[in-house]
Amino acid sequence: MAVNIVKILPLLLTVFAYISTAASHADQGAPVQSFFERHRGSGSAHTNNWAVLVCSSRYWFNYRHMANALGMYRTVKRLGIPDSNIILMLADDAACNPRNKFPGCVYANSGRHLDLYGDNIEVDYRGYEVTVENFLRVLTGRMDESVPRSKRLLTDDRSNIFVYMTGHGGNEFLKFQDNEEISAFDIADAFEQMWQKKRYNEIFFMIDTCQANTMFSKFYSPNILATGSSEMSENSYSHENDFDIGVAVIDKFTHYVLQFMEGINKTSQASMQDLFDTFDPKKLDSHPGVRSDLFRRPLDKTLVTDFFGGVAQVEIIPPVLDEPVTLAGEQALRTDASSATGDQDVFIDPTTLAVTCDAPNASTTTASGLRQHVGPGIDFTILIAAAAQSEVSPQTSLTSTLRAWTSSVLILALVSWTAVTRNRHPSGQ
Amino acid sequence: METLSKAALAFESPLTRRSIIASYFLVILLALPLWWNTTSIERQALPISRVSAQTGRELLFPVHVAVNTSASDINAGVLAQEVQRYVNRNEDFTRDGLELRVSSDAATAKDYQVNVRFGTHDPVVVGREVTVEVPPEHASVAAMRVADTLATLLAPYSSLKSLATASHAERVVSYSPRYRLAFTLLNEDAAAGNAALSWDVRGALSAQLSPFLERLSVLHNFTIESQVQYHGPLAFEPRGLQVAEKTQYGLTPEDLTVFVNSAEWMLSSSVSNDPVLHFIAFIPSSKHTPLRILDNNGIPTASSAFMLPQWGGIVIYNAETIGVARTLATRPLDNIFATFRQQLSALLGVPELPAHVQARSPGVSDWQLDALIRRRAAENTAGAQETLQSILRLVAQIGDMPVGEDVRGDVEDALAALDKTYSSAPSSAVEALTFASKAQVVASRAFFNPGMLALLYFPAEHKWAVYAPLFASVSAPLLASVIREFLAWKKERAAKKARSEQRQKVD
């Protein structure tokens, strides 16, 4: 016992010395206390926020997808993510389209109240640069040396990343530019590579496309929260038309998410659960999904601003003391623990989560593989996409084996038919 | 009729026909290796066993501490033994990767020295020396005092964890051999009357920061840029306060988290890919002067600076008189830059001296610098190891991921650098850091190799759909011709047999 006391004594002395200095500045001591209390047990605090916003479809009639992405861009920027931390990928430039009656503007509602394009916008990847490869390179960081900083996702293990995707999709894929597709497996693998290289703290993945929920069904890396606009074999619909613009201006899911976000400011305490509670299948005409089994924090303790906001914590620094030149008017203070904070971290409790995942089971078949956004107006994309996608309809393993065998048998039959018929001629002569 | 057609096609012998058909198959056979070569993914073998041998290997720094008791009548040898005993019991040293040997031998240049003498003053640090004073009546606790002081000086990250450095991990930027330091003089609204139009940034930098940066140059290479902005509005309205019949403006802790108006302040510098640390001297406009930082209870604090972890620091400068200053220089600017230095030091992870230890000279002491170097070397070593292991895991996990010659080269270089780190750690921490940071950089380069992008995932149906239209139609006539030839050959043989039998009968 005596030995123990002797052992602790130096520590006690240090602590006492510390407390006596700290106590003389009571106004500094209290915030220090609260700072440490707030941080106890929270292992996943982030120090920076990033956003990757992807609109993967081209052409004028996909105006609404550009508006979706730009609406998100405006929101994350308003809530404090700097342009340097936003990777915006727009597959087409609707603002400068010759068919745009309002050049340089993109609107997301039928009254054209708010110009999303604005005067301060930074599109990092545009037009034909928006490819599956570039998207995966952005996520995994596997870039050429010459790629500039603004096109890179320079995240670390303290970064929370918001990934938003919109476009035309189907079961486990999303089309890019009408000529290639990214599959749910590719995104899941990319996230895993990011996790392995400690490129994120947490990811919030949001996707607005048809059968969107299938896109996050393959994720397997930790700390990912995902939401999508519609279940497997369900369409995501556009919200409204503007008759002057002539096309649908925004999709329903994104519209209602943005509507919720308008009520959020930089210091808002609204939680992710609040956001998910606003999803109404009646208004959306589809069943939005949330996947939180990979996410460690309870959703009602996860702030919306953890993903949509800027920085979450600061440390107040006491004025410098050991300077020979100090302003007479300034009162000099010196404590060793220089931490007071306006920290907004939530307490993180690694318990299981209340909301269950409604990711669809991949082994069920859908009658038709093509699901497209159907706007209230005439939408020719259905026809175009139907032709493009008919070969990628989902199959169960049974039907695919059956089909493989059938085609092999067919080929064999063809071969023997050619052989036999040509053979008959000489014998007939 | 038969003789006629045979005559017309005299060149058509079964042999010619068969060799023509065979030539098709020969082409296919010869093309197979080419096809295999061009469609298979290059996957170089990685040195798996060497990488997995790295797990659990920890960087150890043997450190010699010399105890000098010439100024007192304490027996140096006995004291050294006692200190060694305390040190062995203290886990903080091993946690920081230190192998401490305490003796009464004379210290060489890279050893640490503890001078023990009688007195009541706090420990004083000079270079790699520390002078610990023990009250003569408490000479028995000298060993404990020395061991305690050594722990706080040599292993600051472990021993002070519970107190001041709890937020260390969140605040400190991850290691990079190069940093950009961006200094901004930001006027909230120069047109509104309270502003500084320029600043003597060179003078302040050389007076306040250069010695510090010089000291840390073994760790990092710094690039400095500066700018002056005249209009940087806040995104919120500061709270008005009445203090001593004067109106002041306050920033609540919540305001501070959203203080940086990234949408309207042009801070980003995208010249290079080095990490940027921002330092902002903010001059509030005349309608927000003076601007104070409030504590949680809404009472103004004496502090006028705050720090955003891993991002940078901000100093709010309230001039004594409102007005436009042409140039911000001398004392106010020196104060601002002294705070910047303090913020930079915290962001880079320089350990603070313990509260009760005094430094003879200002600036970063050798003890602090050595602790930081050891810390960064250990971090980089662990980071490089982890990166190498994650490369192996991913390559095993994702079958479509190519592994090129350069990736293998980088992995091997990183392993070599790691080996050098371990072998150089006993002799020089700086050298160990150099190799560790090289290992980390090279391992990351291997991970981020642009060629490592895995092929896109395609379901089996896709592959069938792509290959069937081409190969099915090509294979049909080829296979058919083989079958026809086979049947013809069989028929010919049967005919030959029949003929010879006939001949036998005739005979």
Side-chain angles (χ1 to χ4, degrees), chain A residues 135-296:
Chain A
F135 175 64
L136 292 178
R137 284 194 189 282
V138 165
L139 290 185
T140 55
R142 300 219 163 88
M143 302 241 184
D144 201 74
E145 289 282 313
S146 60
V147 175
R149 186 188 186 88
S150 62
K151 290 192 171 192
R152 286 172 186 257
L153 190 68
L154 297 167
T155 52
D156 55 30
D157 58 337
R158 296 269 168 201
S159 308
N160 274 12
I161 310 177
F162 169 54
V163 180
Y164 174 82
M165 304 186 83
T166 181
H168 291 285
N171 191 348
E172 293 171 7
F173 72 87
L174 176 73
K175 281 202 308 165
F176 269 66
Q177 308 255 17
D178 270 350
N179 63 15
E180 56 179 347
E181 288 140 15
I182 191 167
S183 76
F185 296 88
D186 296 322
I187 301 183
D189 281 347
F191 283 168
E192 174 66 13
Q193 294 174 49
M194 292 172 75
W195 175 250
Q196 293 280 356
K197 189 64 181 85
K198 295 189 171 173
R199 270 170 72 74
Y200 70 82
N201 173 46
E202 284 170 338
I203 287 182
F204 179 44
F205 179 81
M206 181 186 276
I207 180 159
D208 187 352
T209 176
C210 298
Q211 315 197 47
N213 298 356
T214 57
M215 283 304 280
F216 55 71
S217 59
K218 302 296 171 206
F219 292 172
Y220 55 94
S221 314
N223 292 358
I224 301 179
L225 178 64
T227 184
S229 58
S230 51
E231 283 176 0
M232 175 134 83
S233 12
E234 253 185 4
N235 290 338
S236 288
Y237 292 102
S238 66
H239 180 63
E240 57 186 346
N241 262 349
D242 181 278
F243 292 107
D244 286 327
I245 294 170
V247 286
V249 287
I250 196 160
D251 285 321
K252 281 190 173 167
F253 178 75
T254 306
H255 173 81
Y256 287 110
V257 169
L258 289 177
Q259 202 171 53
F260 174 82
M261 288 298 168
E262 283 306 300
I264 304 284
N265 60 34
K266 285 182 181 177
T267 52
S268 165
Q269 296 295 308
S271 71
M272 278 295 171
Q273 190 61 58
D274 297 338
L275 168 66
F276 298 146
D277 286 346
T278 62
F279 290 170
D280 181 0
K282 277 209 195 83
K283 280 200 240 166
L284 296 174
D285 287 329
S286 62
H287 293 82
V290 177
R291 182 169 177 196
S292 59
D293 58 331
L294 299 168
F295 197 65
R296 278 183 306 173

Side-chain angles (χ1 to χ4, degrees), chain A residues 6 36 39 47 137 140 142 149 185-186 196 198 220 313-317 320 326 336 342 344 392 423, chain B residues 144 166 170-171 253 257 272 274 303 305-308 310 331 352 355 386 393 447 449-450 457 462 487:
Chain A
V6 170
F36 290 128
H39 273 265
T47 58
R137 284 194 189 282
T140 55
R142 300 219 163 88
R149 186 188 186 88
F185 296 88
D186 296 322
Q196 293 280 356
K198 295 189 171 173
Y220 55 94
Q313 32 184 312
V314 298
E315 283 179 59
I316 298 175
I317 308 258
V320 184
T326 313
D336 284 285
Q344 294 173 45
V392 289
N423 214 17
Chain B
M144 207 170 63
E170 275 169 27
R171 176 208 290 164
T257 64
S272 73
D274 302 333
S303 170
F306 61 98
M307 204 163 77
L308 300 177
Q310 295 187 332
R331 291 173 69 189
E352 287 176 38
E386 254 172 57
R393 259 200 307 275
F447 188 95
N449 189 298
Y457 168 84
H462 270 223
L487 290 176

Side-chain angles (χ1 to χ4, degrees), chain B residues 6 12 22 40 45 54 75 144 153 156 202 275 332 374 381 417 424 472:
Chain B
K6 259 191 181 163
E12 195 201 276
S40 65
Q54 296 284 338
N75 183 325
M144 207 170 63
L153 284 174
R202 279 179 192 281
R374 284 192 296 264
T381 311
S424 61

Side-chain angles (χ1 to χ4, degrees), chain B residues 240-264:
Chain B
L241 300 164
Q242 289 297 326
V243 178
E245 294 177 11
K246 272 192 207 156
T247 310
Q248 294 195 344
Y249 297 87
L251 299 166
T252 62
E254 281 198 341
D255 289 339
L256 293 182
T257 64
V258 298
F259 185 82
V260 175
N261 187 0
S262 53
E264 285 170 90

Side-chain angles (χ1 to χ4, degrees), chain A residues 45-183:
Chain A
H46 66 284
T47 58
N48 54 78
N49 280 82
W50 288 74
V52 181
L53 312 170
V54 186
C55 155
S56 68
S57 29
R58 253 189 119 64
Y59 305 124
W60 174 243
F61 47 76
N62 290 321
Y63 185 95
R64 63 185 184 283
H65 293 156
M66 265 71 85
N68 287 346
L70 286 168
M72 284 295 166
Y73 174 79
R74 184 183 163 274
T75 301
V76 294
K77 214 168 151 178
R78 182 176 63 83
L79 292 174
I81 303 185
D83 247 335
S84 55
N85 288 16
I86 304 175
I87 310 287
L88 178 60
M89 305 177 98
L90 284 185
D92 205 349
D93 192 1
C96 299
N97 194 298
R99 278 194 259 186
N100 193 346
K101 208 179 155 188
F102 308 93
C105 300
V106 175
Y107 296 100
N109 44 27
S110 62
R112 298 191 303 281
H113 301 297
L114 182 69
D115 176 19
L116 294 176
Y117 219 67
D119 51 2
N120 191 3
I121 181 167
E122 192 182 303
V123 184
D124 300 297
Y125 288 81
R126 68 164 77 232
Y128 289 115
E129 286 180 330
V130 182
T131 59
V132 174
E133 186 188 328
N134 278 347
F135 175 64
L136 292 178
R137 284 194 189 282
V138 165
L139 290 185
T140 55
R142 300 219 163 88
M143 302 241 184
D144 201 74
E145 289 282 313
S146 60
V147 175
R149 186 188 186 88
S150 62
K151 290 192 171 192
R152 286 172 186 257
L153 190 68
L154 297 167
T155 52
D156 55 30
D157 58 337
R158 296 269 168 201
S159 308
N160 274 12
I161 310 177
F162 169 54
V163 180
Y164 174 82
M165 304 186 83
T166 181
H168 291 285
N171 191 348
E172 293 171 7
F173 72 87
L174 176 73
K175 281 202 308 165
F176 269 66
Q177 308 255 17
D178 270 350
N179 63 15
E180 56 179 347
E181 288 140 15
I182 191 167
S183 76

